[in-house]
Amino acid sequence: MANAWQGLQELDGWLRPLAVAFAAAGQPIFLVGGSVRDALLGRLTHDLDFTTPARPQEIIEIVTPLASTVWDTGIEYGTVSALVKGMTLEITTFRADQYDGQSRNPEVTFGDTLDGDLVRRDFRVNAMALELATEGEHTFLDPLGGLDDLAAGVLDTPDSPQISFNDDPLRMLRACRFVSQLGLQVAPRVESAMQDMSTQIQRITVERVAVELNKLMLGEQPWSGLDLMVTTGLAEHVLPELPALKLTQDEHRQHKDVYWHSLKVLGNAVELERERGMKPNLELRWAALMHDIGKPETRDFNENGNVTFYQHEVVGARMTRHRLRALKYSKQHIKDISELVRLHMRFHGYGQGNGSAEDDGTWTDSAVRRYVTDAGDLLPLLHLLVRADCTTRNKNKARRLQRTYDGLEQRITELQEQENLEAVRPDLDGNQIMEILQLKPGRDVGRAWAYLKELRLDRGPLDREEAITALKQWWAEQQDHAEQDHAQHQQHKEK
C-alpha cells in the first residue's frame, strides 16, 4: 500500500489544507472514484474527484478561501468545481440517486453515508475512497472490494450488472473504455449482462456515446475495448461498420480477415505513435480502424476466383463520413479522418513495376508532388497510417513494403528541399493572371489558376516567362475551343 500511495504524497501539501478546511466546518472529505484507482495504479492526474456529506452551498463556502476559481455549473447534481494551486477539484455531495429505467438521468437525491454513495457507482474499482486526515495517515476505505478487483485485473459492478446497466446503460460502453484504458477484463457476469442488454445503449444520446468512444480510442489498448463492443453486441448499435468487417470466409476463396486486420492496423498505429514519442492521435486511430470499412460493400471475385475490393477506399471514406456525422463529430474531424481513409491506398503501386530494368514502378516527380499536395497537412499521419497498414504474415514482404515506403519518404524529402512541396501554388497569382490575359475577376480566372497549379504539379517550379508562355498558350486553346463550340451551336440551330 505504501508504494501505491506514493503519487498522493506529492499532493499532500494541499490535501492537508483541504482536510483542515472541511474539518473546521465539521465535515469529512474523501478522495474518491477514479482518482483513488489511478493513485493505486501510479497514474494520478491533476483532475481529482472528492465526495463529502456537506451540501453544495456549504462546499462553496468551505472551498472558496482556498481556490482561485470556483464553478457551480454542476450544482444541481451536487457538484462544485474549484481550481486550487493548479489542481482541478470536483467535490460532490454524497448521492443516493433513483433511476426511472427510461433515461440515464437520475432523480438527484443527496445521501448521508459514504457506503451509500459508493454502492451506486459504476464499477467496484471506482468505488474506493481515501478519507483525508488533518494530520497523520489518510484512511483508505474499500467496502466493496475494489482493490481486490484491481489487483486481479477484473472489472465488476458493486450491485448486480443488470441493475447497474438498467440505471445507466452508458456504463456498458464505459466498461469497454476501461478495458482499453486500464487493461482490465470484464467479469463474466458483466459481459453476460452487456450481451443481454446491449440494445439499451440506444437510450443514450449520440453525444455521450461519442465522448466514451473517444476516450476508448485514446486508451492504451483500444483494440481490446472495441473487440468487447463487438462480442457484446454494443457495436451493432453505435458502430455497426465494425462487426460488418467479419466477412464470411469461403474455403475456396480465402482472403485476409478484415476485422482482425483492422484491429491489428490500429495496434500498429498505436505502436508507431509510441516509437515516435507522439501523444495518442484521435484522427490517426480512427482512420486506422475505419480504413477498410468499405470492403464488405465492394467485395467481388475476378475470373480467377480471387477476391477483389476495388475502390474500397473511396466507399470507405463515404461510410466514414456517414458514421462520424451520425455521432456528431466536428466537421474537421470528419474531413480529416475520411480523407486519410480515402488516401490510404494511394501508395500501393509505388515501387511495383513490370519487372523490366526500365520500369521499377517508382513514381515520377509529378506523382510524388500530387501525393504530398493531396495529403496536405495530413501527410505525417498518412505516413503512419500506410506503415501501420503494411501487415502480412510474410515477413519478407512486410520488410519490402516498409523499405519501399522508406524510399517514397526519401523522395518526398528530396523534393521538399528543392521545391517546398507543402506550399505548392501556381507560379502566377490571380492578379497576375488577370493582367496578362486582360480578364476581370470571374470564372475564367479560377480556371486559369487551376490550370497553372496542375502545370506546377506536373513540371515543378517554372520561371516567370515559362509560366506566362504556358498560360497564354492554354488561353488561346480555350478561345479556339469556345469558337468551335459556338460554330457547332449555330449550325445546329440552322438545321
Side-chain angles (χ1 to χ4, degrees), residues 274-314:
R274 292 170 182 162
E275 289 176 1
R276 287 158 172 74
M278 294 172 55
K279 292 181 179 179
N281 185 281
L282 192 63
E283 291 84 356
L284 173 62
R285 294 183 179 204
W286 267 110
L289 178 66
M290 306 290 273
H291 77 287
D292 275 351
I293 62 167
K295 282 191 171 180
E297 189 172 318
T298 59
R299 183 172 65 163
D300 200 358
F301 299 94
N302 61 23
E303 62 275 8
N304 298 322
N306 297 320
V307 69
T308 63
F309 301 103
Y310 293 131
Q311 296 292 303
H312 76 271
E313 68 277 16
V314 176

Side-chain angles (χ1 to χ4, degrees), residues 437-456:
L437 300 182
Q438 297 182 349
L439 295 174
K440 294 181 178 180
R443 178 173 173 270
D444 286 337
V445 178
R447 291 172 58 224
W449 190 93
Y451 164 73
L452 287 175
K453 182 174 181 180
E454 289 296 310
L455 192 66
R456 170 73 169 77

Side-chain angles (χ1 to χ4, degrees), residues 7 30 36 85 92 132 135 141 194 245 324 399 435 438:
F30 306 84
V36 178
K85 295 182 180 179
T92 303
L132 302 188
E135 57 184 26
L141 301 166
M194 291 170 68
L245 292 175
L324 295 182
R399 283 193 292 267
E435 179 182 349
Q438 297 182 349

Side-chain angles (χ1 to χ4, degrees), residues 20 126 130 151 157 211 220 234-235 285 303 354 360 437 443 456:
V20 169
N126 296 331
L130 189 74
T157 53
V211 168
E220 294 185 6
L234 284 171
R285 294 183 179 204
E303 62 275 8
N354 60 23
D360 62 0
L437 300 182
R443 178 173 173 270
R456 170 73 169 77

Side-chain angles (χ1 to χ4, degrees), residues 335-399:
K335 177 178 180 295
D336 290 349
I337 296 167
S338 62
E339 187 66 358
L340 286 169
V341 171
R342 186 182 73 85
L343 292 173
H344 85 274
M345 289 295 292
R346 184 75 64 85
F347 156 72
H348 294 277
Y350 180 84
Q352 298 181 22
N354 60 23
S356 68
E358 295 78 17
D359 181 14
D360 62 0
T362 54
W363 292 345
T364 63
D365 286 350
S366 173
V368 175
R369 290 188 198 101
R370 290 178 185 279
Y371 187 75
V372 173
T373 301
D374 288 350
D377 293 339
L378 296 173
L379 184 62
L381 296 183
L382 182 59
H383 286 332
L384 295 179
L385 176 60
V386 173
R387 289 185 180 279
D389 192 30
C390 293
T391 63
T392 173
R393 294 179 182 178
N394 185 324
K395 293 183 178 180
N396 288 332
K397 181 180 179 182
R399 283 193 292 267

Side-chain angles (χ1 to χ4, degrees), residues 443-444 447 475-494:
R443 178 173 173 270
D444 286 337
R447 291 172 58 224
W475 183 242
E477 292 171 353
Q478 301 307 302
Q479 298 296 94
D480 288 344
H481 292 323
E483 290 177 4
Q484 292 172 11
D485 290 343
H486 179 72
Q488 292 175 358
H489 179 68
Q490 288 297 112
Q491 290 176 2
H492 180 73
K493 285 180 65 176
E494 291 173 1

